[in-house]
Amino acid sequence: MANNDPFIPYLATVQSVVDLTPDVRLFTVELNDPAVRESFTYRPGQFAFVSVFGMGEVPFGITSVAHRDEGLQFAVRRVGTVTNALHEVREGDTVGVRGPFGNGFPLEDYEGKNIFIIGGGIGMAPLRPVISTVLDRRDSYGDLLIINGARTPRDLVFAPEFDVWAQSPRTKVELTVDRGDDNWTGRVALIPDVVRDIKPSPENMIAITCGPPIMIHFTLQALKELGFADRQIVTTLESNMKCGLGKCARCNVGDKYVCKDGPVFDFEQISHLFEEA
Ligand code: FES
């Protein structure tokens, strides 16, 4: 039965653990209670807290889409105590899941528009459900342009999916790295420079970006040079979230709470955050 206390995590069983990069793992979990499973619906861009019991919990953008019914997925980069503990979790283990929280991307508002996805590193994780949704409802959207960047080729998350994405009609995938290796024949360039090089038209296009703040800062500049208006550029923010419910005041950005008013914002709302990055 669904619990009514949003601070109590649901129990979930890990179905699979897959290495995406040397320090990022993809966890697929299934909520144990069938009634909870049924009622746990979520949108691209929403997040949930995943807990390792006795260690703590961390918020992650959900990287699966509810309509595919393939389990709840989180891409976890090993960066601290809880994420290290999560990397020790194996198939069949139990974790906690609290959520879903946040607003998510208003994908209905983007129907009929061209979609430009710009993801850096693990920032691709919350963007993957947008890509999946556009691919699964291909006729509802215009062109899909994806730029995915990472430090090195080995750090490109979701690499096995690039070909699938690129084979979809009216879809282009551009990969770039900061530093190539012996096998890399693709771009070696920073994401904002790739944006400038490709020069997508801002007409009828929504740009959705996620990645390190410095990348977003310079990507924002590149998009503006091309004529994108602030309202056409959307991002999903990370923050020091604790409750996820707008109650602890740990995640405020100006007068907004990332957990409750976001994590998805357009730059009409938050461009001031990146102007001095
Ligand atoms: S995480 Fe508590 S108010 Fe946002």
Side-chain angles (χ1 to χ4, degrees):
M1 206 173 86
N3 71 54
N4 293 320
D5 185 341
F7 288 100
I8 298 178
Y10 300 122
L11 298 181
T13 301
V14 175
Q15 303 289 301
S16 72
V17 183
V18 175
D19 284 333
L20 294 178
T21 75
D23 63 352
V24 177
R25 283 191 171 156
L26 181 71
F27 292 84
T28 302
V29 309
E30 183 180 70
L31 297 162
N32 289 1
D33 186 324
V36 171
R37 219 154 50 223
E38 186 72 20
S39 63
F40 194 101
T41 54
Y42 58 94
R43 302 159 51 87
Q46 285 197 292
F47 68 95
F49 289 84
V50 179
S51 46
V52 179
F53 296 111
M55 299 302 291
E57 63 175 12
V58 176
F60 297 101
I62 302 171
T63 198
S64 49
V65 282
H67 69 262
R68 286 195 183 175
D69 206 17
E70 57 194 8
L72 203 48
Q73 294 183 321
F74 302 94
V76 178
R77 185 152 73 100
R78 192 191 268 277
V79 285
T81 312
V82 181
T83 51
N84 272 320
L86 259 172
H87 272 234
E88 299 309 315
V89 163
R90 298 286 174 261
E91 198 178 308
D93 287 351
T94 301
V95 294
V97 174
R98 203 161 67 75
F101 297 122
N103 56 357
F105 293 99
L107 288 180
E108 325 70 61
D109 297 348
Y110 303 163
E111 288 187 8
K113 294 186 187 299
N114 301 319
I115 307 293
F116 183 14
I117 302 283
I118 312 158
I122 189 72
M124 276 308 279
L127 304 182
R128 181 179 178 238
V130 178
I131 296 169
S132 302
T133 302
V134 173
L135 295 185
D136 292 349
R137 306 196 173 130
R138 199 64 200 85
D139 291 343
S140 300
Y141 299 91
D143 295 343
L144 173 61
L145 170 60
I146 301 167
I147 297 180
N148 185 192
R151 284 170 301 175
T152 74
R154 278 161 31 110
D155 296 310
L156 286 162
V157 288
F158 308 122
E161 295 173 45
F162 296 154
D163 285 346
V164 177
W165 297 349
Q167 279 162 18
S168 183
R170 289 171 291 121
T171 301
K172 192 162 185 218
V173 180
E174 293 279 351
L175 307 176
T176 187
V177 294
D178 298 345
R179 209 171 54 250
D181 60 22
D182 291 347
N183 299 318
W184 181 252
T185 54
R187 291 176 184 266
V188 179
L190 297 175
I191 286 176
D193 293 333
V194 178
V195 172
R196 286 188 184 92
D197 186 43
I198 296 175
K199 295 187 187 55
S201 164
E203 200 182 326
N204 198 34
M205 183 173 263
I206 293 288
I208 306 176
T209 184
C210 185
I214 194 75
M215 178 215 108
I216 294 180
H217 169 73
F218 287 108
T219 299
L220 189 59
Q221 279 185 0
L223 290 169
K224 286 185 164 191
E225 286 164 25
L226 293 173
F228 281 80
D230 281 349
R231 66 175 183 288
Q232 289 178 275
I233 311 170
V234 180
T235 192
T236 173
L237 293 183
E238 279 193 354
S239 176
N240 187 22
M241 292 191 275
K242 201 74 191 157
C243 70
L245 295 159
K247 293 190 187 305
C248 73
R250 291 278 288 267
C251 69
N252 68 304
V253 165
D255 61 348
K256 300 196 184 327
Y257 289 131
V258 173
C259 69
K260 197 159 155 271
D261 303 310
V264 173
F265 296 95
D266 68 41
F267 279 89
E268 220 160 46
Q269 299 168 292
I270 57 160
S271 61
H272 59 284
L273 294 179
F274 292 90
E275 270 152 16
E276 288 165 14

